[in-house]
Amino acid sequence: AQRVTQPEKLLSVFKGAPVELKCNYSYSGSPELFWYVQYSRQRLQLLLRHISRESIKGFTADLNKGETSFHLKKPFAQEEDSAMYYCALSEYSSASKIIFGSGTRLSIRP
Amino acid sequence: KAGVTQTPRYLIKTRGQQVTLSCSPISGHRSVSWYQQTPGQGLQFLFEYFSETQRNKGNFPGRFSGRQFSNSRSEMNVSTLELGDSALYLCASSRNPRDSYGYTFGSGTRLTVV
């Protein structure tokens, strides 16, 4: 079954500490992986895609096909990173039928 | 450019009624998808439309339906509302079904069924 698992509902770290939001997936085929973010009172928005291999706002995510993981990392957390983060997948190079994880609320303590 | 616009923002309905939600995509976007977001189930895919045709459908009962018009605007309809249909309904648009980078969400319509 196609599934995205985010094991942590809440992650709380101090400002300046490293952050890792975990994401594991189950998909029969070649998926495209995403991280979406929703800041307080804002729309759900794309943070990054695995095929872009980019760093956005200091965040990076590497696709590990062997472990079927796509963890989101940032070396030094900032208070403005506090938000809800969703890992998601779709069929490769497709925006159709995106499957979302349950989300992790990241809280950065000053 | 204007973003994805969903109307109305809030809606309160009683059990048994039906409701229609509207989504206007970004200009030039022809693909529209709908999601239901609840605290218990998270974000679940409802359906996807492209060029007025339903391309994909999620695992929802037939009470949930949708359509897309020639101007790419989309509506979704829920008939015989149940308390469990209370949720935030999100719409997302993109240029086409392969445009994952341009996939943009609206602010949603919050439906409360009483």
Side-chain angles (χ1 to χ4, degrees):
Chain A
Q2 301 167 5
R3 185 181 296 122
V4 177
T5 302
Q6 294 180 251
E8 304 137 330
K9 283 192 173 181
L10 172 66
L11 184 64
S12 182
V13 302
F14 284 105
K15 177 182 172 182
V19 172
E20 183 178 44
L21 301 171
K22 296 191 186 318
C23 171
N24 288 89
Y25 67 91
S26 171
Y27 190 84
S28 55
S30 296
E32 181 166 356
L33 275 296
F34 312 87
W35 276 99
Y36 279 82
V37 61
Q38 189 166 29
Y39 300 102
S40 180
R41 298 189 182 86
Q42 293 188 28
R43 304 178 183 206
L44 191 62
Q45 56 188 282
L46 178 67
L47 181 62
L48 52 79
R49 305 178 299 167
H50 90 271
I51 62 173
S52 301
R53 295 182 177 276
E54 56 199 344
S55 173
I56 305 293
K57 298 184 179 182
F59 284 98
T60 58
D62 291 320
L63 179 61
N64 185 322
K65 293 184 179 179
E67 297 182 357
T68 59
S69 68
F70 188 57
H71 304 326
L72 183 68
K73 299 177 183 178
K74 183 169 183 177
F76 307 104
Q78 299 172 296
E79 288 186 65
E80 54 265 33
D81 296 330
S82 293
M84 194 74 178
Y85 291 81
Y86 294 93
C87 183
L89 68 75
S90 71
E91 182 182 331
Y92 189 77
S93 191
S94 169
S96 297
K97 199 174 181 179
I98 294 181
I99 298 168
F100 286 86
S102 55
T104 298
R105 182 166 297 282
L106 177 64
S107 175
I108 308 301
R109 291 176 282 178
Chain B
K1 58 182 178 182
V4 178
T5 304
Q6 292 188 245
T7 56
R9 289 295 306 276
Y10 303 92
L11 208 48
I12 299 175
K13 291 286 188 178
T14 56
R15 278 180 297 176
Q17 286 187 312
Q18 73 162 14
V19 66
T20 299
L21 312 181
S22 179
C23 172
S24 293
I26 290 173
S27 178
H29 283 196
R30 295 165 58 201
S31 182
V32 174
S33 296
W34 290 88
Y35 293 82
Q36 181 195 64
Q37 186 175 27
T38 59
Q41 299 297 320
L43 274 155
Q44 291 186 287
F45 172 79
L46 277 158
F47 20 66
E48 177 203 5
Y49 288 89
F50 178 67
S51 293
E52 302 177 65
T53 301
Q54 187 179 90
R55 295 187 71 249
N56 281 299
K57 190 176 192 303
N59 188 26
F60 279 82
R63 300 185 297 107
F64 291 81
S65 63
R67 60 179 175 168
Q68 186 180 37
F69 301 95
S70 58
N71 63 357
S72 296
R73 189 178 70 86
S74 177
E75 289 181 347
M76 66 162 281
N77 183 278
V78 187
S79 62
T80 320
L81 283 166
E82 300 176 0
L83 294 179
D85 297 333
S86 294
L88 180 66
Y89 290 88
L90 293 172
C91 165
S93 76
S94 59
R95 286 173 296 179
N96 56 64
R98 300 183 67 81
D99 177 25
S100 58
Y101 183 74
Y103 205 69
T104 306
F105 281 88
S107 297
T109 293
R110 184 164 296 283
L111 172 65
T112 303
V113 183
V114 297

